[in-house]
Amino acid sequence: MTQITLDKTDLKILQVLQENGRLTNVELSERVALSPSPCLRRLKQLEDAGIIRKYAALLSPVTVQLGLQAFIRVSISKAKDAREDFSNAVQTWPEVLSCFALTGETDYLLHAFFTDMNAFSHFVLDTLLSHHGVQDAKSSFVLKEIKHTTALPLQHLQKD
């Protein structure tokens, strides 16, 4: 990955794309006040530098029958191979959208979606707690989503 310095136009490109990643290059160039060729060149630089990791469609969980959202705090054995095995195993669990290694009382935090409580129960009992390194799991269910965004804050990168 190439390191690049971001100017106001780069930041505007990133901001606009975080709002709508499906814009054509012409639409993007109009919104950031550039002609299409320089806009495409800057976009390619942002991708090559790894600033833009990928593009994705964000689905509505409820409309695809995944109405039960859970955060699961997992404690595992302190053995190095247990951590490595867990990290590899979690990659294969489609219910888990995110997994974070944490400091503090819990080793990992999983963010997962399920069709219902039966699917959640099956996952916890037959998959998660059956993993050899897992010692404990505690779950919290989402009652209401107050804020959800995928847009990173970029204000700290702006130069006056």
Side-chain angles (χ1 to χ4, degrees):
M1 282 189 266
T2 308
Q3 183 74 338
I4 65 171
T5 302
L6 302 176
D7 63 17
K8 286 183 181 184
T9 303
D10 294 321
L11 293 174
K12 183 68 175 169
I13 289 170
L14 294 173
Q15 185 178 24
V16 169
L17 282 176
Q18 285 191 110
E19 293 169 10
N20 184 352
R22 288 193 68 181
L23 293 174
T24 66
N25 183 55
V26 171
E27 292 169 326
L28 178 62
S29 67
E30 289 171 357
R31 293 199 187 176
V32 299
L34 273 180
S35 60
S37 292
C39 184
L40 187 59
R41 194 173 322 110
R42 282 176 180 255
L43 183 59
K44 179 83 170 107
Q45 287 176 327
L46 293 168
E47 292 169 349
D48 291 346
I51 294 169
I52 297 174
R53 292 190 304 184
K54 66 179 174 178
Y55 299 89
L58 302 176
L59 308 182
S60 169
V62 172
T63 62
V64 294
Q65 301 173 10
L66 293 170
L68 184 63
Q69 185 176 175
F71 288 91
I72 308 167
R73 295 168 305 285
V74 180
S75 297
I76 64 166
S77 160
K78 300 303 177 200
K80 183 180 192 276
D81 65 326
R83 291 191 310 271
E84 194 172 311
D85 289 349
F86 182 82
S87 294
N88 291 333
V90 78
Q91 300 296 325
T92 67
W93 300 337
E95 303 88 348
V96 177
L97 273 65
S98 302
C99 175
F100 304 95
L102 303 176
T103 61
E105 296 176 14
T106 301
D107 297 311
Y108 294 94
L109 178 66
L110 308 181
H111 182 205
F113 285 84
F114 304 92
T115 55
D116 55 25
M117 188 57 77
N118 285 336
F120 169 78
S121 178
H122 173 72
F123 172 77
V124 170
L125 295 174
D126 299 339
T127 303
L128 184 60
L129 293 177
S130 294
H131 188 275
H132 70 89
V134 174
Q135 293 181 324
D136 190 28
K138 293 181 170 62
S139 304
S140 296
F141 299 103
V142 174
L143 298 175
K144 181 179 179 182
E145 190 172 273
I146 307 300
K147 178 181 179 180
H148 176 80
T149 183
T150 59
L152 294 174
L154 301 175
Q155 302 88 331
H156 64 286
L157 298 174
Q158 292 179 339
K159 307 284 188 257
D160 292 329

